[in-house]
């Protein structure tokens, strides 16, 4: 209040002083331009100058305010569009999560231009279009995503590769992924997708070359990487024996052995691959080469399936093969697979009595059609037909397992003529 009072007093004294000056001497001002002259008192001129100043000041402020109001209008309009786009994007993402593909595509694509992150809208809308089977719309939306955010080229490319893979377009997907790998060689997700495409294309050589990169960049969990290696080298082993029809068993064996020995050292000790290798050796007739491999596998890790296979093959030394199997009997004397194998190996060595004994012991532990057939065949060829019939009667349930319970005629029943 004191300041206002002091200002009022100052204005009063100034006004009084100026009034006295105007009375004492009004002054004179003359403006002349050509034939035109303007005369006025000095004080009138000063008043006009002040009025003109205030008029200009007011005009400039009015002009600035009009510009600001236009800017505010534009900001308000842009903010409104952004809010609408945000709401549509939210509704579109909800529709996408609910599986309402048509609604999701429409809302997300409509709001993309005014959205804060148009890339998200376009990618989500492309997914919705793909789910509807609209490949053309999907490709267009992916292209718009790429244009809207050029720095997200890798992300858009990955989505495109996934879309092509889902359509079964393996070659285009592979081309997209190879292009992405050049631009982002350490992108682990690109490597994962490449692995998937190569497997579906049965390009096992490419998978083989990719495995070191997968391991180096830790793109897969250790167990998944091991499964990939096992599958890859199983297929490579199989491919190695696909030779012309004129190729001999020895040529196939050499090709298979070469592939086996060219595998990474640790994989030749892998039980899964070693078993596959031995089965392929057996399939091409190289049983003698398979015998020591199977023997080592059983020694490392006991497996009844391999024990059974050991009795089916013929090694280079049949006597030694039988002695090896007898050695296993100490640890598991009642194993039906081992007893069956011993029966077969005894039969290969023409030890007929021992073979019958082993077959019978195996049947006692586990009555199986395989064992029964081996024993019945041996007895038949030894002329033991009565014993064979008794055996078949005793183990009839093994042969006819799963038959329904039906009434049977008693012995001696005669069939009435029709």
């Amino acid at each position: 209040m004191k300041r206002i009072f002091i200002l009022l007093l100052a204005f009063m004294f100034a006004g009084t002083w100026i009034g006295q000056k105007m009375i004492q001497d009004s002054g004179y001002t003359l403006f002349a331009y050509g034939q035109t002259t303007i005369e006025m008192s000095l004080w009138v001129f000063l008043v006009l100058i002040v009025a003109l100043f205030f008029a200009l000041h007011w005009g400039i402020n009015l002009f600035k305010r009009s510009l600001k109001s236009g800017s505010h209008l534009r900001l308000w309009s842009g903010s409104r569009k952004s809010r609408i786009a945000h709401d549509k994007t939210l509704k579109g993402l909800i529709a996408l999560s609910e599986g309402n593909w048509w609604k999701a595509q429409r809302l997300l694509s409509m709001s993309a231009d005014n959205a804060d992150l148009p890339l998200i809208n376009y990618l989500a809308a492309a997914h919705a279009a793909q789910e509807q089977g609209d490949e053309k719309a999907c490709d267009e939306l992916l292209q718009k995503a790429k244009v809207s955010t050029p720095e997200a080229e890798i992300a858009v490319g990955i989505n495109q590769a996934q879309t092509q893979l889902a359509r079964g377009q393996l070659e285009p997907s592979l081309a997209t992924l190879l292009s992405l790998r050049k631009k982002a060689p350490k992108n682990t997700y690109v490597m994962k997708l490449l692995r998937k495409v190569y497997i579906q294309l049965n390009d096992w050589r490419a998978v083989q070359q990719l495995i070191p990169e997968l391991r180096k960049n830790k793109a897969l969990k250790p167990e998944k990487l091991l499964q990939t290696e096992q599958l890859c080298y199983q297929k490579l082993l199989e491919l190695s024996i696909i030779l012309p029809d004129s190729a001999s068993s020895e040529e196939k064996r050499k090709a298979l052995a070469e592939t086996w020995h060219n595998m990474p050292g640790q994989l030749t000790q892998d039980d899964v691959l070693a078993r596959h290798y031995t089965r392929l050796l057996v399939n091409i007739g190289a049983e003698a080469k398979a015998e020591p491999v199977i023997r080592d596998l059983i020694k490392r890790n006991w497996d009844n399936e391999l024990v059974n296979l050991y009795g089916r093959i013929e090694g280079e030394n049949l006597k030694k093969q039988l002695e090896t199997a007898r050695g296993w009997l100490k640890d598991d004397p009642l194993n039906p697979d081992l007893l069956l194998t011993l029966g077969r190996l005894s039969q290969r060595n023409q030890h007929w009595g021992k073979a019958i004994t082993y077959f019978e012991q195996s049947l006692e532990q586990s009555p199986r059609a395989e064992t029964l057939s081996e024993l019945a065949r041996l007895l038949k060829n030894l002329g033991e037909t009565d014993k064979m019939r008794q055996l078949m009667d005793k183990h009839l349930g093994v042969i006819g397992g799963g038959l329904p319970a039906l009434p049977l005629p008693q012995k001696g029943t005669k069939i009435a003529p029709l």
Side-chain angles (χ1 to χ4, degrees), residues 214-260:
L214 292 170
R215 177 179 287 106
K216 179 181 177 182
N217 292 280
K218 298 180 180 180
L220 295 175
K221 292 182 179 180
E223 58 272 17
K224 191 69 174 180
L225 182 62
L226 177 59
Q227 290 174 5
T228 301
E229 285 185 304
Q230 289 172 339
L231 177 62
C232 174
Y233 286 103
Q234 281 178 14
K235 296 298 182 181
L236 289 175
L237 287 170
E238 291 172 9
L239 289 172
S240 67
I241 58 175
I242 300 178
L243 299 175
D245 295 337
S246 58
S248 63
S249 296
E250 181 61 20
E251 288 174 328
K252 290 182 179 180
R253 187 199 65 77
K254 288 181 179 179
L256 182 61
E258 183 179 358
T259 303
W260 173 257

Side-chain angles (χ1 to χ4, degrees), residues 106-146:
R106 182 175 63 86
L107 289 172
L108 290 167
S109 58
M110 284 174 57
S111 57
D113 290 339
N114 296 312
D116 296 332
L117 297 171
L119 175 68
I120 303 300
N121 286 58
Y122 284 127
L123 290 179
H127 175 67
Q130 174 63 22
E131 290 292 340
Q132 296 177 85
D134 192 346
E135 297 183 3
K136 183 179 179 182
C138 177
D139 292 339
E140 289 175 355
L141 287 165
L142 286 173
Q143 184 60 31
K144 287 181 179 180
K146 188 175 182 180

